[in-house]
Amino acid sequence: MKKFSLPIYNRLKNGDPIILELTPSLNMNRRWMGIYSYKEYPVQEDLPNHKYSIYDFEVSIDKLEEYFGPNDITNSKRYYVNNGYDLFLKLNELNADPSLFTYPWKCDYPL
């Protein structure tokens, strides 16, 4: 099983997001997957308790050159997992290679 590089893993453990750019469903879009780590469980009644949140979404390239809002985000999916083992299982299920995650600024992450 592939793993995160050490600097990326440390970033995630410190509570900072890590990002992977993926192939979009349409050529006119860009797609990212972000993983967010929480030191404490988020307090929201409508969410399950979780340690990690995975956010997978697409935005039209045209919208990236200007301001875009929540309505411009397409094919968005969010997943919640409680521990590192489940995180790797979910990434494997989503065909996301952990070794390819990077810093947000290295892949023009828009959020």
Side-chain angles (χ1 to χ4, degrees), residues 8 33-34 41 47-48 59 68-69 71 86 89 98 104:
I8 295 301
M33 177 181 288
Y41 288 122
L47 296 179
V59 177
F68 68 92
N71 294 337
D86 290 342
L89 286 177

Side-chain angles (χ1 to χ4, degrees), residues 54-86:
I54 304 168
Y55 187 42
D56 182 355
F57 68 97
E58 295 184 31
V59 177
S60 168
I61 292 171
D62 294 340
K63 294 292 182 180
L64 289 172
E65 296 174 6
E66 58 187 63
Y67 171 80
F68 68 92
N71 294 337
D72 298 316
I73 294 174
T74 60
N75 300 323
S76 68
K77 298 169 211 71
R78 192 173 294 268
Y79 308 94
Y80 303 100
V81 295
N82 264 333
N83 55 56
Y85 180 75
D86 290 342

Side-chain angles (χ1 to χ4, degrees), residues 4-83:
F4 300 118
S5 69
L6 185 57
I8 295 301
Y9 177 74
N10 286 336
R11 179 178 171 77
L12 182 63
K13 285 304 218 180
N14 286 329
D16 296 316
I18 59 172
I19 310 301
L20 173 64
E21 187 162 10
L22 299 163
T23 304
S25 61
L26 300 171
N27 287 338
M28 60 186 199
N29 289 348
R30 286 184 72 183
R31 179 181 172 198
W32 293 271
M33 177 181 288
I35 301 176
Y36 300 86
S37 174
Y38 302 95
K39 294 184 191 287
E40 297 179 14
Y41 288 122
V43 181
Q44 289 184 327
E45 293 179 12
D46 59 338
L47 296 179
N49 281 342
H50 60 281
K51 173 101 173 125
Y52 301 100
S53 170
I54 304 168
Y55 187 42
D56 182 355
F57 68 97
E58 295 184 31
V59 177
S60 168
I61 292 171
D62 294 340
K63 294 292 182 180
L64 289 172
E65 296 174 6
E66 58 187 63
Y67 171 80
F68 68 92
N71 294 337
D72 298 316
I73 294 174
T74 60
N75 300 323
S76 68
K77 298 169 211 71
R78 192 173 294 268
Y79 308 94
Y80 303 100
V81 295
N82 264 333
N83 55 56

